[in-house]
Amino acid sequence: MDVAAMAARFTELLGAEGVITDPVRLRTYECDGLTYHRATPGIVVLPGDAGQVAAIVRECAAAGVPYVARGSGTGLSGGALPRTDGVLIVTSRMRRILEIDIANERAVVEPGVINLDVSRAVRPHGYYYAPDPSSQQICSIGGNVAENSGGAHCLKYGFTAHHVLACEVVTPDGEIVTLDDGPGYDLLGTFIGAEGTLGITTKITVRLTRLPETVQTLLAAFDSMEAGGAAVSAIIGAGVVPAAIEMMDALSIEAAEASVQCGYPPGAGAVLIVELDGPAAEVEEQFEEVERLCREAGSFEIRIAADDTARALIWTGRKSAFAAVGRISPAYIVQDGVIPRTALPQVLARIDELSRGSGVRVANVFHAGDGNLHPLVLFDDGEPGAGERAEAVSGQILDLCIEHGGSITGEHGVGVDKSRHMTRMFTDVDLDTMQMVRCAFDPAGLCNPGKVFPTPRLCGEVPGVRKGVHPLVASGQAEQF
Ligand SMILES: Cc1cc2nc3c(=O)[nH]c(=O)nc-3n(C[C@H](O)[C@H](O)[C@H](O)COP(=O)(O)OP(=O)(O)OC[C@H]3O[C@@H](n4cnc5c(N)ncnc54)[C@H](O)[C@@H]3O)c2cc1C
């Protein structure tokens, strides 16, 4: 890439304040939440609207320069990891809430809008935006769309994909199109969760959800994870669908206490946070049942939030857990695997064995209701070989998830972190089929290359490209990209 020429062109398009080439400032953008992988971007650009994004993408396409979109950079799989030979397109200046349409229960926002700001804006109307990643105070809606992000309350309300009605997208050839849920192939569904590999979203129409009549939250403490897991199965088995069921183990409780002093019951081997919301009469009846089921599963202390302040305190420990682990370990990998809920006790016991066997500490925080594990694999990055050992344990945990019929990611995406694990879940034909979809959007392979897939893409002049592996290609019924 001719940095000087590209920067000059971008300065014409965006003004000097929209272009960063200073090496010190560029370093701000060298990683996302997965700090283990770093690369200093060639140029950073800060467009202010969709037209500018399209112009940047057209420049990159003409020059054959790769580019990566970035929202707030909180991603945990390295999706926004920049390219040293490329352009990083940061959406932080695209933060306008363009429309609030209460009659149709929707809002239109720019991609850099912070998740929680949507709820703040519509709360006076009695609404909120349901998907609530724990990073919601800082992550962007554009990043949420790319990762199909979840959160504690997605057990009842569904993921980002269930709350996005349309996306305006700049395609890799620089065209601005709108994807919605109209007739024909579900291109909106294809785009959501594609981790920024199919284009850049510049406007998002989100569904608004009515605030529930009432919310009730409890914290139940158990001696062991097994007992907590049994309570989860009992609650779901009883037909109760809580808004959230979250679980933390002793190590993550220790970290949260050290960081935010959330005052969880001392000596707990596990805590469960259960939240119910909805019509008052229904919540009241189900809440009593949940309390009873927790006691029957062995909870030695149950705290019920009396008001919003007490509720916030219960959630503080959970929502700060990832960052809090920094208090008890210099470095850590946040893993994100999925298992069937019923496999929780076996998988947690195996993770414990792996941890003991390797000497690598693992803290567990997870969305217990939907079997989405977040093992935090701790290591000292100053110790030679410690990072590799942590990576190895991390990979073994993902293998466990697959063995139990689960998945290598629930909500954080594949990014660079887990692309090598894709072959454990998918066959060559599966992967090539996915790559054909990707190439249909981005035949030149410039849009967030190197993410998601373990192999070079079929399209473009990629060294080592595998040819003819897809049966349609091999049989001559489809063209090689
Ligand atoms: C403390 C903490 C807690 C977290 N908790 C959760 C959680 O509960 N649930 C959850 O799902 N995730 C969670 N995450 C992960 C992360 O916050 C989410 O993945 C979030 O959606 C990323 O948003 P972002 O704006 O930071 O995106 P970035 O990290 O900037 O980017 C993420 C991906 O989106 C792409 N992208 C960004 N903007 C666009 C755009 N406009 N168009 C196309 N592609 C784009 C990037 O290329 C990249 O691939 C957590 C992270 C942290 C640090």
Side-chain angles (χ1 to χ4, degrees):
M1 171 172 68
D2 182 343
V3 174
M6 291 291 278
R9 184 67 192 113
F10 290 146
T11 305
E12 275 171 34
L13 289 168
L14 312 178
E17 70 284 1
V19 185
I20 300 175
T21 53
D22 170 44
V24 176
R25 289 182 68 202
L26 287 177
R27 290 200 60 191
T28 307
Y29 300 94
E30 68 183 9
C31 66
D32 58 10
L34 182 76
T35 53
Y36 195 56
H37 295 262
R38 288 172 191 266
T40 308
I43 303 179
V44 169
V45 288
L46 302 148
D49 59 36
Q52 290 187 345
V53 174
I56 294 162
V57 167
R58 283 196 294 270
E59 290 295 328
C60 289
V65 168
Y67 55 89
V68 177
R70 175 179 166 120
S72 302
T74 66
L76 291 168
S77 57
L81 182 76
R83 298 267 302 210
T84 49
D85 60 347
V87 176
L88 188 69
I89 304 175
V90 182
T91 61
S92 56
R93 295 209 308 182
M94 298 174 71
R95 283 211 176 148
R96 286 173 301 166
I97 294 179
L98 300 168
E99 191 186 337
I100 293 175
D101 177 0
I102 292 298
N104 289 302
E105 300 186 316
R106 55 180 62 187
V108 182
V109 305
E110 289 187 324
V113 168
I114 300 302
N115 174 301
L116 194 57
D117 286 349
V118 181
S119 291
R120 285 191 179 122
V122 299
R123 198 168 290 273
H125 303 282
Y127 282 82
Y128 73 114
Y129 177 60
D132 62 339
S134 303
S135 52
Q136 69 180 147
Q137 301 204 7
I138 174 175
C139 67
S140 73
I141 297 290
N144 294 172
V145 168
E147 300 291 2
N148 188 18
S149 294
H153 293 83
C154 292
L155 172 64
K156 180 171 178 181
Y157 290 99
F159 280 61
T160 299
H162 303 108
H163 298 269
V164 169
L165 302 170
C167 282
E168 179 186 86
V169 170
V170 172
T171 62
D173 57 4
E175 206 187 327
I176 302 177
V177 301
T178 297
L179 306 179
D180 58 23
D181 58 357
Y185 291 126
D186 182 9
L187 296 181
L188 179 63
T190 306
F191 186 84
I192 298 171
E195 305 189 26
T197 60
L198 303 183
I200 299 179
T201 183
T202 45
K203 202 194 280 180
I204 301 123
T205 305
V206 297
R207 187 194 301 282
L208 302 177
T209 303
R210 226 177 235 283
L211 287 166
E213 187 187 336
T214 192
V215 182
Q216 290 261 39
T217 311
L218 68 73
L219 178 89
F222 298 85
D223 285 330
S224 67
M225 294 290 276
E226 288 71 24
V232 173
S233 297
I235 291 166
I236 303 283
V240 178
V241 182
I245 308 190
E246 300 285 300
M247 195 147 134
M248 295 168 68
D249 71 0
L251 198 51
S252 54
I253 297 168
E254 179 193 329
E257 285 299 342
S259 174
V260 292
Q261 295 83 44
C262 44
Y264 287 173
V271 293
L272 204 59
I273 298 173
V274 187
E275 189 157 284
L276 298 184
D277 68 7
E282 181 187 304
V283 168
E284 205 171 303
E285 190 187 319
Q286 292 192 336
F287 201 69
E288 278 174 19
E289 195 175 1
V290 167
E291 208 184 323
R292 178 178 59 77
L293 293 169
C294 285
R295 287 197 198 287
E296 282 175 9
S299 173
F300 64 83
E301 183 170 343
I302 293 182
R303 292 182 188 169
I304 296 170
D307 53 28
D308 285 350
T309 312
R311 178 171 305 110
L313 188 63
I314 288 180
W315 276 112
T316 302
R318 165 61 186 93
K319 296 229 170 188
S320 66
F322 289 1
V325 165
R327 291 291 184 121
I328 59 165
S329 176
Y332 57 96
I333 298 169
V334 180
Q335 234 351 315
D336 168 42
V338 183
I339 51 165
R341 248 187 329 255
T342 46
L344 269 174
Q346 300 101 291
V347 172
L348 291 172
R350 280 286 297 134
I351 292 177
D352 192 41
E353 277 170 31
L354 283 173
S355 169
R356 286 172 199 276
S358 61
V360 174
R361 290 189 301 163
V362 180
N364 287 292
V365 181
F366 51 96
H367 306 307
D370 47 19
N372 187 186
L373 303 179
H374 289 317
L376 304 164
V377 184
L378 317 189
F379 66 101
D380 179 351
D381 49 358
E383 187 190 317
E388 287 73 15
R389 284 198 296 282
E391 284 260 293
V393 169
S394 230
Q396 287 163 341
I397 292 175
L398 293 181
D399 284 343
L400 265 178
C401 294
I402 296 171
E403 275 166 32
H404 283 84
S407 162
I408 58 170
T409 173
E411 55 183 17
H412 295 170
V414 177
V416 283
D417 184 37
K418 286 192 261 191
S419 58
R420 66 188 185 286
H421 298 291
M422 289 286 272
T423 49
R424 301 189 196 165
M425 266 197 87
F426 298 105
T427 65
D428 276 355
V429 171
D430 293 335
L431 290 169
D432 289 339
T433 304
M434 287 187 236
Q435 286 175 327
M436 287 171 91
V437 173
R438 184 170 178 169
C439 292
F441 280 81
D442 179 27
L446 295 175
C447 185
N448 210 2
K451 311 291 168 64
V452 184
F453 293 104
T455 53
R457 296 202 241 167
L458 290 168
C459 50
E461 296 296 315
V462 184
V465 69
R466 296 183 305 152
K467 291 194 186 298
V469 281
H470 192 280
L472 286 179
V473 174
S475 66
Q477 293 173 55
E479 288 198 6
Q480 177 72 54
F481 285 96

